[in-house]
Amino acid sequence: MTTTQERTAEQNLPYDVFSKACPSRGTLEHVTGRWGALTLGALHEGSFRFNELRRRVDGVSEKMLSQTLHALERDGLVHREAQPTNPPRVDYELTPLGREVAERLLALIHYVEGRMDDVLAARGRYDEERAPR
Amino acid sequence: MTTTQERTAEQNLPYDVFSKACPSRGTLEHVTGRWGALTLGALHEGSFRFNELRRRVDGVSEKMLSQTLHALERDGLVHREAQPTNPPRVDYELTPLGREVAERLLALIHYVEGRMDDVLAARGRYDEERAPR
DNA sequence: CAGCATCCAGCTTGATACTG
DNA sequence: CAGTATCAAGCTGGATGCTG
């Protein structure tokens, strides 16, 4: 069995999410976090204004959406286009890098959605086995 | 623009992670959460015992690993094989469904790892633009 | 070894109010 | 419209002690 450090050295990987200190872990959390994932998923379908996005991502608060967008913009996954009009208009869209990431993320999301019946069935079995009384 | 509900109806999707109430959102969080993602990633390489896994997933506490494994087992992604020996030996491995999910997850993880240089560069630009003083 | 039970510090989150 | 500021509450997660 190889340790994280050994794998990193052997395969010469510059960034290894399995290592606690690796910055890729932070970015991965922005991408896969509850709101990050849904935001990237929504933006994969086009450009959105702030409040459009807010309605799209059911349940996100204003604060969390703002925070999420800042993190994704900082990581270079989302582009923010602000027009200095009044009232202000700001559009968000994926960068090329963001699109690549979103595609892989959506492949995962759609797969999970497509297998939810199996997941729910597994849950039923699990719960029944240990609380039938 | 279509709402979440409209999309769900139009495309006849049984499960839509964009909807607050959808159970797929919960499963997605188990899969993509900090520890869920790393645990699935580790298990993709083979079968592991509890403490092996703990060493592999750098930074995870006993409690969180236990909790994570329970959630993944309940969702039908991980299989738990307990041998009634003394001392006890328990092995964890992916189910076929878990393997499918882990593969898509790893595609995302590896892509992000591979583009970390771009992410870090974007961060540098972002930070510089708004705190030069 | 493989966990569970408990406690609690602190970070995350949501609600609310306010600004340009 | 597009956010920021502030504050309370609740949940997450780490430490500790214990069991089979």
Side-chain angles (χ1 to χ4, degrees), chain B residues 3-59:
Chain B
T3 67
T4 293
Q5 292 68 33
E6 283 164 353
R7 277 183 302 112
T8 303
E10 279 168 10
Q11 307 180 206
N12 198 28
L13 296 171
Y15 300 104
D16 180 358
V17 77
F18 285 93
S19 167
K20 186 160 61 175
C22 188
S24 68
R25 197 183 268 193
T27 297
L28 192 69
E29 278 164 32
H30 297 157
V31 170
T32 62
R34 171 160 28 190
W35 305 124
L38 298 175
T39 302
L40 286 177
L43 286 174
H44 188 248
E45 269 146 60
S47 175
F48 288 91
R49 302 178 62 174
F50 189 83
N51 282 309
E52 281 176 345
L53 219 37
R54 195 149 127 63
R55 281 186 290 275
R56 206 96 199 307
V57 180
D58 194 17

Side-chain angles (χ1 to χ4, degrees), chain A residues 34-35 59 61-64 67 88:
Chain A
R34 172 165 16 189
W35 306 123
S61 71
E62 188 177 273
K63 186 172 99 174
M64 291 318 297
Q67 206 169 101

Side-chain angles (χ1 to χ4, degrees), chain B residues 14-115:
Chain B
Y15 300 104
D16 180 358
V17 77
F18 285 93
S19 167
K20 186 160 61 175
C22 188
S24 68
R25 197 183 268 193
T27 297
L28 192 69
E29 278 164 32
H30 297 157
V31 170
T32 62
R34 171 160 28 190
W35 305 124
L38 298 175
T39 302
L40 286 177
L43 286 174
H44 188 248
E45 269 146 60
S47 175
F48 288 91
R49 302 178 62 174
F50 189 83
N51 282 309
E52 281 176 345
L53 219 37
R54 195 149 127 63
R55 281 186 290 275
R56 206 96 199 307
V57 180
D58 194 17
V60 70
S61 72
E62 179 181 282
K63 187 171 98 171
M64 292 319 298
L65 181 58
S66 174
Q67 207 168 99
T68 299
L69 286 168
H70 278 309
L72 295 177
E73 188 194 353
R74 192 167 102 100
D75 285 349
L77 304 177
V78 163
H79 175 69
R80 179 177 186 275
E81 186 78 31
Q83 279 153 43
T85 57
N86 193 311
R89 179 192 176 96
V90 181
D91 290 274
Y92 291 92
E93 62 185 341
L94 295 181
T95 62
L97 175 57
R99 251 189 301 286
E100 296 289 330
V101 170
E103 263 155 41
R104 285 158 178 84
L105 178 66
L106 285 169
L108 173 64
I109 291 178
H110 290 147
Y111 185 81
V112 169
E113 283 176 349
R115 299 291 302 262

